[in-house]
Amino acid sequence: MAVSKIFPDAAAALAGLLHDDMTLMAGGFGLCGIPEALILAIRESGVKGLTIISNNAGIDGVGLGILLETRQVKKMISSYVGENATFAKQYLAGELEIEFNPQGTLAERIRAGGAGIPAFFTATGYGTQIAEGKETREFNGRHYVMEQGLFADLAIIHAWKADTEGNLVYRKTARNFNPVIATAAKTTVAQVELLVEPGEIDPDHVHTPGVFVKRIVKLDHVEKRIEQRTVRKRAA
Amino acid sequence: MPWTREEMAIKAASELEDGWYVNLGIGIPTLVANNLPSGISIQLQSENGMLGMGPFPYEGEEDADLINAGKQTVTTLPTTSFFSSSDSFAMIRGGHIDISILGAMQVSEQGDLANWSIPGKMVKGMGGAMDLVAGVKRVVILMEHTAKGEPKLLKQCTLPLTGKGVVSKIITDLAVFEVNKGGTPGLVLLEHAPDVTIEQIKAQTEAEFFVR
């Protein structure tokens, strides 16, 4: 019997993995599919000086926003941080670094890092600020910018369903960055809504194979927030 | 009379062809989806990981796990697929998306686009805009002709660029321009709003343009 990947709570799932000045990757798009319970446990741990790679930075009081409030974050590597007043305040005061990446470049840097690819060339950002200081090269008459892979000490992700082997299934657009981030860290910890026995997930339906997932915590309750509630009226 | 936002969206929708895969930016471009020409069927791509985006849900049927790139609640269609951000940008950067319709702060006569950052202000980030303009087959800009009376169609963009030479067409409330990439580079005015004169357009445009 292999060592169990299942941990009783978020703090236990992160035990021994956190240290000051570490690099962390977090899944999610806006507040959709974010590993909220694991982020809370990181806040409680008091670890600081974090470099966080995540598409967004949460909002005030929710998601990664709570680590900004406690000043545990040194640097963010993100594509869009627009919805966070704490972020703006700390950034403008020079207390927080930001490295903006085009969203596709960010996704591909993470994919490359996870796949053992140190760098790649992309047309995205050629001729813009993003390309400054980076190697560029021409292929077949078009200009490309060299971007480097990203790999973190720890990845925290949210999935809908896991089996005890760590095979994961995501739900709808809560998939987003989670599967690619799962591949790009020394240790990946997943919080999940459902936990089942091996064999209960059809192998054809697995999104993230268990090899990428070292630790799993099954949550009893997940509070999912909606950033922009948009609806239509029923025909009368 | 300048065109209304609705009329601008109808003009932009006429750029679409049956069967196309389309990515719409926030703002006026979102109106395009409701103004498709009859007989045209398209699939909307949302870069957070969804193809075949449906309308907003009925009240009470919102799902926090089902949002678009503007973080708005949406619905699925029978054609919908979900995928990772990595696959999503493979679609965009690999040239599989036919067209992106986006807003802009500035566009130059060479087709350079600036729409993500104003120096001195808190920068929110470019999101997927740089990938979209570099990767999709055709980029159409839908914007007001001026901002607070200042021209937005310029000889050179003064704001940080989103992409260089990436814009194919510009639709404003006053006129439609094509960016000439071969032959003589520059903007070509294709049509203009009724009762708006070429002189009025020239007065509100810094970029040079030819009238076809």
Side-chain angles (χ1 to χ4, degrees), chain A residues 93 138 169-170 173 233:
Chain A
E138 195 177 321
V169 179
Y170 306 92
T173 56
K233 290 259 180 285

Side-chain angles (χ1 to χ4, degrees), chain A residues 81 104 142 171 224 230 232, chain B residues 56 63 65 73 124 131 134:
Chain A
V81 296
R142 196 168 180 206
R171 185 173 178 274
K224 296 180 181 176
T230 44
R232 71 187 140 139
Chain B
F56 294 151
D63 182 342
D65 287 341
T73 45
K124 295 178 171 187
D131 308 283

Side-chain angles (χ1 to χ4, degrees), chain A residues 40-121:
Chain A
L40 270 166
I42 288 169
R43 183 183 68 178
E44 296 311 309
S45 80
V47 67
K48 59 185 190 298
L50 299 172
T51 294
I52 302 184
I53 301 161
S54 181
N55 189 51
N56 311 102
I59 62 171
D60 293 296
V62 185
L64 294 172
I66 66 173
L67 300 181
L68 295 171
E69 281 168 9
T70 48
R71 297 176 184 272
Q72 288 169 269
V73 184
K74 181 174 73 183
K75 180 179 179 180
M76 290 294 308
I77 299 177
S78 304
S79 89
Y80 188 83
V81 296
E83 330 299 345
N84 195 312
T86 309
F87 190 106
K89 207 170 117 194
Q90 290 183 14
Y91 175 74
L92 293 171
E95 298 163 350
L96 182 65
E97 287 175 61
I98 171 79
E99 179 190 315
F100 282 119
N101 280 221
Q103 196 172 136
T105 293
L106 183 64
E108 188 63 12
R109 290 184 70 191
I110 297 167
R111 197 196 72 80
I117 295 169
F120 59 92
F121 284 90

